[in-house]
């Protein structure tokens, strides 16, 4: 079943935290297209106003500029809301190594504020963004829920803590929480700029500008790249999950495995930039070498059935960047 066929109660209101960000704005768009009301909470520290400007004229859309680190803001933003899709966080492993205090403040305190506000406002379900980084130094492939290792970065630790708080809120307070462990999401509106930009949009922009991207390490590291449409599907299907699974976390990926060197070659070919060769730099501190997801739990429990593989997704992504950069 496509997420477009999912039905919620009439007049349902959804709060999307981090709604002006890459994943958040795609969630806002999908929910609005389904005819429901969306309240977007974002402090625009990472999210961009331009990502949500296209919703301004929609009568079902409301934007609140606010910081999840402020509990009163979270309480007010979630008042009168039925469901919360909590995407607000700071990503990037290397940046977290440089700024551990900020990551603790935003990713842990901010998430705890959302959970507590959800409890006080009797929110029906909270789906929150976790990360494949929670697997840490556990080298077994594919990654499977229940076999987590020791975190390799402050970012990974914040996501592990978020999951533990989610379980506590489910067990102690009967708050329906569901964690989605995203595996290298890519697609439209993902920011290509900055030192901590994700690899795919960064590579695309540099190649379009006839510049050589830098691959950290030898390029033989692998990732389970996941197109944004699959992530939207997972979030909306998690909102329909049976409450007996509250407090649990799920791998959200396609279930494939792509190597960075191959990714580069594919992008160069599709963009007709095969004459541009990459530069190889040092490994990034805190990065895992390989990542590949076992998605059987999400399939069985959530009905998650991703149909956007890497080849299909990368063509859509390139088309968007060519039109919008």
């Amino acid at each position: 079943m496509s997420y477009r066929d999912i039905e919620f109660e009439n007049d349902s209101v959804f709060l999307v935290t981090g709604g002006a960000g890459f994943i958040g704005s795609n969630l806002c768009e999908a929910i609005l297209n389904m005819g429901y009301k969306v309240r977007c909470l974002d402090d625009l520290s990472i999210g961009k106003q331009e990502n949500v400007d296209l919703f301004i004229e929609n009568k079902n859309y409301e934007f609140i500029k606010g910081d999840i680190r402020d509990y009163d803001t979270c309480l007010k933003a979630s008042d009168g809301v039925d469901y919360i899709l909590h995407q607000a966080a700071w990503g990037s492993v290397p940046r977290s190594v440089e700024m551990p205090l900020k990551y603790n403040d935003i990713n842990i305190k901010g998430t705890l504020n959302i959970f507590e506000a959800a409890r006080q406002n009797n929110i029906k379900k909270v789906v929150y963004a976790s990360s494949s980084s929670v697997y840490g130094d556990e080298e077994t492939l594919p990654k499977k829920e229940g076999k987590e290792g020791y975190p390799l970065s402050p970012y990974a630790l914040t996501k592990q803590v978020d999951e533990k708080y989610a379980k506590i809120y489910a067990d102690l307070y009967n708050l329906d929480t569901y964690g989605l462990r995203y595996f290298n999401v890519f697609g439209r509106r993902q920011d290509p700029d900055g030192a901590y930009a994700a690899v795919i949009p960064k590579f695309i922009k540099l190649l379009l500008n006839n510049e050589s991207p830098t691959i950290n390490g030898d390029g033989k590291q692998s990732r389970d790249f996941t197109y944004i449409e699959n992530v939207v599907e997972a979030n909306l299907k998690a909102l329909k999950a049976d409450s007996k699974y509250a407090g649990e976390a799920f791998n959200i990926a396609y279930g494939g495995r792509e190597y960075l060197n191959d990714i580069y070659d594919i992008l160069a070919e599709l963009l007709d930039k095969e004459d541009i060769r990459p530069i190889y730099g040092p490994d990034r501190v805190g990065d895992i070498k390989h990542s590949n997801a076992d998605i059987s739990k999400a399939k069985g429990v959530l009905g998650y059935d991703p149909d956007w593989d890497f080849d299909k997704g990368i063509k859509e992504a390139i088309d968007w960047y060519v039109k919008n950069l």
Side-chain angles (χ1 to χ4, degrees):
M1 179 178 69
S2 165
Y3 70 78
R4 294 175 180 83
D5 298 322
I6 298 173
E7 294 184 354
F8 297 92
E9 302 85 349
N10 289 336
D11 297 322
S12 287
V13 181
F14 297 76
L15 172 64
V16 181
T17 71
F22 159 47
I23 295 175
S25 64
N26 278 284
L27 287 169
C28 288
E29 183 176 34
I31 297 165
L32 289 169
N33 286 341
M34 294 166 74
Y36 300 106
K37 296 178 181 178
V38 171
R39 188 177 295 167
C40 168
L41 174 64
D42 203 302
D43 67 356
L44 300 179
S45 61
I46 293 177
K48 295 184 176 182
Q49 187 67 51
E50 65 196 58
N51 285 342
V52 289
D53 277 347
L54 61 160
F55 313 138
I56 290 176
E57 300 300 322
N58 192 315
K59 61 180 175 56
N60 286 331
Y61 174 75
E62 177 186 1
F63 178 77
I64 299 174
K65 185 176 181 181
D67 193 328
I68 59 170
R69 289 175 291 180
D70 182 73
Y71 174 65
D72 286 340
T73 295
C74 296
L75 200 60
K76 291 173 184 174
S78 56
D79 183 32
V81 164
D82 297 291
Y83 303 99
I84 295 178
L85 295 171
H86 176 47
Q87 312 298 312
W90 269 35
S92 173
V93 164
R95 181 169 52 193
S96 77
V97 173
E98 297 176 11
M99 307 170 69
L101 294 178
K102 188 139 191 173
Y103 273 73
N104 186 84
D105 215 24
I106 297 172
N107 291 7
I108 295 178
K109 179 185 175 183
T111 296
L112 181 57
N113 282 341
I114 289 294
F115 288 161
E116 180 60 16
R119 178 170 83 98
Q120 296 298 334
N121 282 322
N122 298 311
I123 303 300
K124 294 174 183 176
K125 290 184 186 293
V126 180
V127 175
Y128 66 95
S130 186
S131 166
S132 59
S133 66
V134 300
Y135 289 103
D137 63 359
E138 169 56 53
E139 295 182 351
T140 305
L141 292 178
K143 307 293 185 184
K144 189 171 179 62
E145 299 91 343
K147 293 191 68 175
E148 297 78 28
Y150 189 81
L152 298 176
S153 67
Y155 172 71
L157 179 59
T158 67
K159 291 302 183 179
Q160 282 196 350
V161 173
D162 287 350
E163 289 190 4
K164 293 184 185 303
Y165 264 125
K167 183 76 167 77
I168 285 173
Y169 267 76
D171 292 346
L172 288 183
Y173 307 121
N174 295 316
L175 180 68
D176 274 16
T177 61
Y178 306 87
L180 303 184
R181 293 176 178 171
Y182 299 153
F183 281 69
N184 296 89
V185 187
F186 72 98
R188 58 186 176 270
R189 301 195 198 109
Q190 190 172 31
D191 191 356
D193 296 317
Y196 305 107
V199 63
I200 286 179
K202 193 170 190 174
F203 281 11
I204 291 174
K205 182 171 184 177
L206 288 168
L207 286 169
L208 286 173
N209 291 334
N210 296 312
E211 298 176 46
S212 294
T214 296
I215 293 177
N216 297 107
D218 59 10
K220 295 180 181 178
Q221 57 269 53
S222 63
R223 297 288 183 267
D224 197 333
F225 285 101
T226 311
Y227 190 58
I228 183 63
E229 282 291 298
N230 297 333
V231 171
V232 171
E233 174 195 339
N235 273 270
L236 295 175
K237 286 186 174 178
L239 288 176
K240 305 295 285 187
D242 192 308
S243 293
K244 69 181 179 181
Y245 298 106
E248 297 192 24
F250 304 84
N251 290 340
I252 300 302
Y254 184 74
R257 190 175 174 194
E258 311 290 337
Y259 293 85
L260 285 195
N261 283 330
D262 294 338
I263 292 291
Y264 180 83
D265 290 340
I266 290 168
L267 292 175
E269 180 181 356
L270 290 173
L271 291 166
D272 196 22
K273 303 287 184 178
E274 292 170 281
D275 55 323
I276 301 175
R277 300 314 303 159
I279 300 166
Y280 288 88
D283 288 315
R284 296 199 312 183
V285 176
D287 263 359
I288 57 175
K289 185 70 175 177
H290 300 291
S291 183
N292 172 230
D294 179 331
I295 57 174
S296 58
K297 181 180 178 183
K299 283 186 170 183
V301 173
L302 306 179
Y304 174 63
D305 186 23
D307 61 3
W308 286 80
D309 63 12
F310 178 78
D311 290 340
K312 182 179 175 183
I314 199 63
K315 290 172 183 174
E316 287 279 331
I318 286 174
D319 185 55
W320 187 87
Y321 284 109
V322 168
K323 292 176 180 176
N324 289 276
L325 286 182

